[in-house]
Amino acid sequence: MHLPFYQGPLRAGFPSAADDYLDQRLDLNEHLITHPASTFFVKVKGDSMINAGIHSGDMLIVDRSIEPKSRNIVVAVINGEFTVKRLLKSKGICQLSPENPDYPLINITDAMDFEIWGIVLHVIHSF
Amino acid sequence: MSQIFALLDCNNFFVSCERVFNPSLRNKPVVVLSNNDGCVISRSNEAKALGIPMGAPYFKCREIFERERIFVYSANFVLYGDISGRVMQTASEFTSELEIYSIDEAFLIWDGTHQNCLNNAQIVRERVKRDTGMPVSIGVAPTKTLAKAANYIAKKKSIDGVFCLLDEKTIEEWLGKTPVGEIWGIGHSKADFLKRHGILTALQLRDMPDAWIKQNLTVISLKTVWELRGIPCISPQDNRDDKKAITTSRTFAKEATNIDELYEPIAAYIANASEKLRSQRSVCGYVQVYLMTNRFKKETYYANSAGIDLTPPTAYTPDLINAAHKLVKSIYKEGCGYKKAGVILSNLQSQLSSQDFLFDESYQRSKKQKLMDVVDSWNNRHNTSKMFLAAEGMAQDWYNQAHKSKRFTTRWDELLEIICD
């Protein structure tokens, strides 16, 4: 059972307006998720984003409601396959960049069936 | 003040849910099967084009599924319910009143002064697609029946999935092209009867005299006809004969501020909905509950929904109430004033067809059904003093679903895995 912790000292007379706001324990959901309806959790396998701090086995918090901008880390779909990469956009050229020198840069062409599925906002890594 | 109704309807909802988490299914023929892999309950456009009928039994279609390389999925109602909640939550930002009609349909109610209906509907459609991945069609009109018809036209004819039936000329033109059987509330038997009397289009039905309708159809059909004329007369409480889902919801006169104040109305909605369920000799395989606070208090606005699979499917009120109460508990947030709550029973199956559950506990063979028959006949005879029951335990997960996708949004151990190389 959780007992609320009253901050104001007890006294007679009119109560302080601040007493209406009880301190709640911090909630990570509230801190990390602004749009619950469009936020999804996914798991990563592979190390192509290792230098961005995304390790194999990590969990990502992905928001679909945000307009993708250049340099965002995104969940993308290329020809029906998911991937996580850094989006680079300039002068009408669109690229997906890995964060690991062992992997190639991907140029997005008109021939590809390409879509940005969501923007990666946070990574959760367990040690 | 006059109102405008925008009916949002998810395109091939179950298949589209599968495609959100498996984009390789896009542009491919896909079907979703009912509980226990009985028959086809959702088809992608590609599967429709191959001539797979709705309701086709799986064992009869196996060969064509293999030959045509059709992707087959078992119903994953936990996933579908979660996506449904996300779609509804997104849509609720665009209206002061959202009337959820089924797992994949809702009316957005706009006041009549709303300009640019077409443009607004397009914005809603784009936002729902972007935020949830769900493709939807929207039909906009001055009555719900016309909005349903507009949605039908949007699905069939428009390129962008939005269609408005607002001015007299457009209404007349399109009702003339809409078969009478496609009109909301006109089922197969009524459509056949009307055809025999030479009434083939929605426009012909609209222009029939009231006296003829009353004499040959029902009072409810008269409401349908008036709605086709642009006079709104269908309220959320009207029982439409729709086999997809049964919904009960109310807006509270006084905001509910603690969970006990929600348990009671939710139990009452379930009792009401399950009575309808039994009256059409059905059982339901999925129950969903939603809660909303006052839309106009923006800073504290909260809306959420949750659902649960019922296996085997049931129409037993206590089981349903028990499930619904667990759901309320899971989404209830302290410190909110709840203005509206509702329940949706879906994944409906006839009591007969669900007999492929060869288990003693299955609803239709059990004492539970007899008990419910007694309760319903009592309640039918004694309209004022209804018989109530205390709750019982819930059924377990034990039957066969060979092609089920993961519960991507509700289980930590079933998250979408992205290969990142």
Side-chain angles (χ1 to χ4, degrees):
Chain A
M1 161 133 184
H2 296 281
L3 288 174
F5 176 69
Y6 289 90
Q7 292 214 307
L10 290 174
R11 58 164 177 265
F14 292 105
S16 147
D19 287 345
D20 291 342
Y21 300 94
L22 298 180
D23 273 357
Q24 297 270 322
R25 201 168 285 167
L26 295 173
D27 180 1
L28 261 183
N29 278 316
E30 204 181 289
H31 185 63
L32 299 178
I33 300 171
T34 358
H35 308 110
S38 59
T39 299
F40 296 86
F41 304 143
V42 303
K43 220 172 168 173
V44 166
K45 257 229 156 106
D47 59 0
S48 73
M49 292 300 283
I50 197 115
N51 291 340
I54 299 175
H55 298 72
S56 195
D58 284 357
M59 197 182 84
L60 306 179
I61 300 179
V62 181
D63 190 343
R64 293 182 54 101
S65 73
I66 294 167
E67 252 347 288
K69 287 202 291 278
S70 192
R71 303 220 43 85
N72 281 157
I73 292 175
V74 299
V75 171
V77 179
I78 305 172
N79 299 330
E81 298 289 331
F82 279 116
T83 189
V84 177
K85 293 285 179 288
R86 192 180 290 281
L87 176 72
L88 300 177
K89 281 203 288 194
S90 70
K91 297 172 196 144
I93 297 168
C94 183
Q95 295 174 310
L96 289 183
S97 168
E99 295 271 335
N100 181 336
D102 296 343
Y103 293 88
L105 184 76
I106 303 165
N107 284 303
I108 303 304
T109 64
D110 288 342
M112 287 174 174
D113 184 10
F114 174 72
E115 182 203 311
I116 292 169
W117 194 87
I119 309 296
V120 178
L121 293 184
H122 310 281
V123 53
I124 296 181
H125 176 79
S126 298
F127 295 99
Chain B
M1 187 172 56
S2 74
Q3 291 177 319
I4 288 174
F5 299 88
L7 176 68
L8 175 147
D9 188 1
C10 300
N11 300 344
N12 311 328
F13 180 60
F14 302 154
V15 164
S16 297
C17 289
E18 298 292 347
R19 281 177 168 170
V20 171
F21 295 94
N22 188 351
S24 70
L25 296 173
R26 286 175 203 173
N27 309 315
K28 304 245 169 69
V30 185
V31 298
V32 172
L33 304 174
S34 62
N35 265 357
N36 218 26
D37 292 349
C39 57
V40 174
I41 53 169
S42 179
R43 303 162 297 160
S44 71
N45 289 344
E46 298 78 9
K48 289 176 190 171
L50 287 168
I52 309 294
M54 197 67 163
Y58 180 41
F59 71 92
K60 277 192 184 169
C61 295
R62 224 171 242 179
E63 220 170 276
I64 179 168
F65 287 170
E66 270 167 38
R67 193 173 63 237
E68 302 287 352
R69 294 169 192 272
I70 296 174
F71 293 82
V72 177
Y73 282 85
S74 307
N76 184 349
F77 270 89
V78 174
L79 177 69
Y80 308 156
D82 179 73
I83 300 290
S84 162
R86 290 166 183 265
V87 169
M88 300 308 172
Q89 200 175 338
T90 307
S92 74
E93 290 173 35
F94 295 93
T95 174
S96 57
E97 202 183 342
L98 184 75
E99 204 180 296
I100 297 172
Y101 178 67
S102 73
I103 194 165
D104 59 355
E105 287 168 285
F107 290 103
L108 286 79
I109 302 172
W110 291 332
D111 68 59
T113 57
H114 227 280
Q115 298 291 307
N116 290 326
C117 286
L118 179 68
N119 191 243
N120 287 325
Q122 280 161 342
I123 292 169
V124 175
R125 185 173 175 275
E126 276 159 30
R127 270 290 301 278
V128 171
K129 179 77 173 63
R130 188 191 73 186
D131 286 14
T132 69
M134 180 55 55
V136 301
S137 302
I138 300 178
V140 185
T143 69
K144 288 181 183 174
T145 305
L146 284 172
K148 274 261 191 188
N151 198 294
Y152 167 81
I153 298 162
K155 277 205 165 69
K156 295 266 167 197
K157 314 276 179 195
S158 82
I159 1 164
D160 67 351
V162 175
F163 195 83
C164 296
L165 281 178
L166 289 169
D167 64 281
E168 199 46 49
K169 199 168 149 266
T170 316
I171 292 175
E172 206 146 287
E173 180 193 341
W174 284 95
L175 288 188
K177 294 180 193 168
T178 303
V180 73
E182 296 297 337
I183 293 303
W184 195 33
I186 304 293
H188 285 301
S189 58
K190 275 181 200 165
D192 287 343
F193 173 83
L194 290 167
K195 276 178 213 158
R196 282 200 301 277
H197 286 78
I199 299 162
L200 305 177
T201 69
L203 187 67
Q204 286 174 297
L205 177 65
R206 185 195 77 170
D207 295 340
M208 290 304 287
D210 284 1
W212 189 89
I213 302 290
K214 261 195 270 188
Q215 202 177 354
N216 292 284
L217 297 166
T218 58
V219 183
I220 296 164
S221 304
L222 190 62
K223 280 191 179 182
T224 299
V225 172
W226 282 21
E227 285 237 327
L228 288 175
R229 293 175 194 158
I231 304 156
C233 41
I234 291 171
S235 75
Q237 280 73 44
D238 275 322
N239 187 8
R240 311 254 76 199
D241 42 352
D242 197 306
K243 292 289 181 288
K244 262 164 86 182
I246 295 170
T247 316
T248 313
S249 70
R250 295 281 188 284
T251 303
F252 304 137
K254 185 176 155 276
E255 288 180 6
T257 51
N258 73 58
I259 196 161
D260 292 324
E261 287 176 74
L262 289 168
Y263 281 152
E264 214 172 287
I266 289 287
Y269 305 161
I270 289 279
N272 177 286
S274 60
E275 202 177 319
K276 280 186 210 164
L277 188 66
R278 292 190 297 271
S279 75
Q280 62 183 55
R281 312 305 299 170
S282 296
V283 289
C284 87
Y286 188 77
V287 56
Q288 205 178 355
V289 166
Y290 60 90
L291 305 174
M292 284 177 200
T293 63
N294 195 337
R295 264 294 295 158
F296 294 111
K297 295 181 187 163
K298 271 225 156 72
E299 60 288 352
T300 56
Y301 180 62
Y302 173 72
N304 207 346
S305 72
I308 192 168
D309 259 329
L310 301 165
T311 45
T314 184
Y316 185 53
T317 310
D319 282 353
L320 291 167
I321 289 177
N322 191 17
H325 280 176
K326 283 183 182 165
L327 294 170
V328 171
K329 210 171 162 190
S330 74
I331 53 174
Y332 177 79
K333 204 170 108 180
E334 286 287 343
C336 291
Y338 294 93
K339 190 71 189 152
K340 190 173 183 178
V343 301
I344 307 167
L345 305 182
S346 50
N347 190 8
L348 306 188
Q349 304 154 52
S350 79
Q351 286 177 18
L352 215 65
S353 78
S354 66
Q355 267 178 355
D356 51 9
F357 291 92
L358 298 170
F359 298 103
D360 294 331
E361 245 70 4
S362 101
Y363 173 76
Q364 62 284 344
R365 297 174 180 218
S366 66
K367 290 177 189 158
K368 291 178 179 178
Q369 183 179 12
K370 285 186 192 137
L371 187 54
M372 285 291 99
D373 288 345
V374 170
V375 172
D376 285 347
S377 67
W378 168 278
N379 285 343
N380 284 338
R381 277 178 287 128
H382 306 80
N383 248 332
T384 47
S385 59
K386 293 234 170 187
M387 196 192 273
F388 293 107
L389 285 156
E392 258 191 23
M394 266 179 50
Q396 298 144 32
D397 201 22
W398 54 22
Y399 66 107
N400 173 42
Q401 286 197 299
H403 317 275
K404 197 161 171 173
S405 54
K406 290 182 174 174
R407 291 164 290 187
F408 298 105
T409 55
T410 51
R411 296 287 168 132
W412 290 116
D413 55 353
E414 296 186 24
L415 293 181
L416 175 69
E417 210 167 74
I418 298 181
I419 306 295
C420 197
D421 49 25

